[in-house]
Every structure is written in C-alpha cells, then in structure tokens.
Amino acid sequence: MTKEEVLSLLLSAGGPVSGEQMSRQLGVSRAAVNKAVSQLRREGYEIEAATNRGYRLSACPDRLSPVQITKALEGHPWQTRMVVLESVDSTNNYAKNLTASGAPEGTCVIAGRQTAGRGRRGRGFISEEGGLYFSCILRPGVSPQQLMHLTALSAVAVCDAIGEVTGLQAQIKWPNDPVINGKKVCGILTELSLVAESNEAESVVVGIGINCNQPAFPPELSEIATSVLEQTGKPVDRSALAAALVQALSRMNRELMTRKEAWVGRFAARCVTVGKDVVILRGETQTPARATGVGPDAQLLVEYPDGTTGSVSSGEVSVRGMYGYV
Ligand code: BTN
C-alpha cells in the first residue's frame, strides 16, 4: 500500500515533498518511502530528487491510475465508485452487470483497452490500448421518452472534459459524435434498462470511447477518425481525462432535467451539422435536406428542397462533406 500512498502524497503536494515528511505522515520508515519511490519510477513515474527539497513528481506514465483518478475526485460524491481496469471485453457490459447487482448512480467503469468494444447499431468499436473506455451508470428515474436528449448532452460533457484537460475545442457531429477538425474523436453508446411495470428507465449506462494516445489509425479509419495525440502532438493524461469526464457527467446528470434548455443550447452551439446538406436515411429511402437547427430534445431540424420543414430524432442522418453514414 505504501507505493499508492506515496503517489497520493506526491500528487497532492504538486511540488517537492521531503522523504522525511512522507515517512512521518505515513508512519513508515524512510527506507520504505525510498523503496516506494523506486517502485514508482520503475512503473514509469518520473520523480525528481533534489537535495534538501525532497521528491517532486514531474510526469506520470500513460497508464490509467486508480490512485490518480480518485485523488482528482477528492470530495466528489462519486469518488469511491470508480472501477478501473487495465483491459475488459466492454466497459458497457461490465457496467450493465454491475447495475443488475444494484450498483449506485455514478458507478464508473474505466478501462485502457477493450477486447470486444461495442458501437451503435450492433457494430464493433475498435478499442486499442491508448484510448479511454468509460461507462457511467445513471439512474434518472424518468421515462425513456424524457431521456431523448441524454446522449446528446453526454457528448457536450465529453467536449467539456476534453477542453478542460487538453485545451482542444471539440465540436459535435449530430446526433452525438464529438469531432475535432471534422474527424471523430469519440463514440458514445447509451444503453437503457427498463422497469417492466412502470416503463421507467431503471438504469442507463452511458458508454464513451475517446481516442486519446493512439498515434495512428488503420487506413480504413484514418480519413474519419482522429486522436488527441494526433491533434496536439502530445499524449494526454488519461487518468486526468477520466476524472474530468466523471465531473462533467455528474454536472450533466444533475442538470439533465432542470437545466435541459441551457444544455441543449450548448449542444446546438457545438453542433457542426447545422447549416450543412444532409441525407436522411429511413430504411432504403434517402431524402436530401438542409440542417437548419436543433430542437428542444436535441433533434435535428431540417428543411427539404421543396421548402417544407421537419425534424429528425433517430440517428439516420448522414452529413455530406464529412465522414460517412453514422
Ligand atoms: C459508436 O460510435 O458507434 C459508439 C461507440 C461507443 C464505444 C464505447 S467505448 C466504452 C463503451 N463500451 C463499449 O463497448 N462501447 C462504449
């Protein structure tokens, strides 16, 4: 345990902290502190040692760190509800199993890699090491019809978290794909369980996959996908991003019903689809239209070539000039 405790002290110090002080605070010997520092260094933490000033943590390895995530969430009501895994089949599957055994709202399953990541419409989601794969359990206690805007607002929360940690201004391709410079940086899959008698949403799992430190994508994806690393040229600290995401999602969840209009407004402000020509796909039928705005449930408002208007609330829309059908 000393290793985690030393890491935790170094993280909260933010500057140099002496070995003497750490051994006093943790009630362990100086030798135990030195051993913990060596272990952390072997794991990739860069810890500088300056005479008379002590140790300073200067860089963390690109690995999800439960200590770092919970430290960044100190005082947050969801702090103790983080499940951090190196690898898992799908964080959504794992979270859905947890909901069945009564896991509370705010339980988050966070992984550095998925072996069977799932996307929308039964597709797979490539989930190599380097990304952030994240599922959050919510228990909104309202009907599914009242949650039409949930996935769209989750996309806003993702953009907030990315902006906070990296400074990048992500936009949203309707209905809910965060994009940077026109390329997809994140996919979101929301899954609902209903209470049979009342038809209320028993629980919702919001699944989020963010391309973080993948240096490149396979040729079939390189035109349509990007990562934070590709955009900024430097790796993003995935633990910091995970913690920022927890905070952003919990804000969104708190205001989901009470400040819906403001959040849908923020969605509309980030939505790159508005003003573009789109093709609406319904089954086999393709109808051209122009996207003119965003409705109160985050549906897409459109105008058809004959001047009539309508709105689209399912994901059956493709945007010309950006990546293909989503
Ligand atoms: C899409 O763009 O089609 C949605 C992709 C959603 C992927 C995320 S990654 C975390 C969570 N676990 C999954 O298996 N899927 C979601």
Side-chain angles (χ1 to χ4, degrees), residues 168 211-216 226-236:
L168 288 167
N211 300 331
C212 293
N213 298 333
Q214 294 94 324
T226 190
S227 66
V228 172
L229 175 62
E230 196 174 74
Q231 293 293 321
T232 61
K234 32 179 217 257
V236 57

Side-chain angles (χ1 to χ4, degrees), residues 12-46:
S12 20
V17 50
S18 75
E20 176 64 40
Q21 189 186 332
M22 286 199 275
S23 80
R24 246 197 341 267
Q25 250 176 282
L26 300 178
V28 299
S29 66
R30 283 291 303 274
V33 170
N34 292 345
K35 190 168 154 214
V37 168
S38 309
Q39 280 171 337
L40 289 168
R41 281 180 175 147
R42 274 200 298 278
E43 288 176 18
Y45 290 90
E46 286 172 31

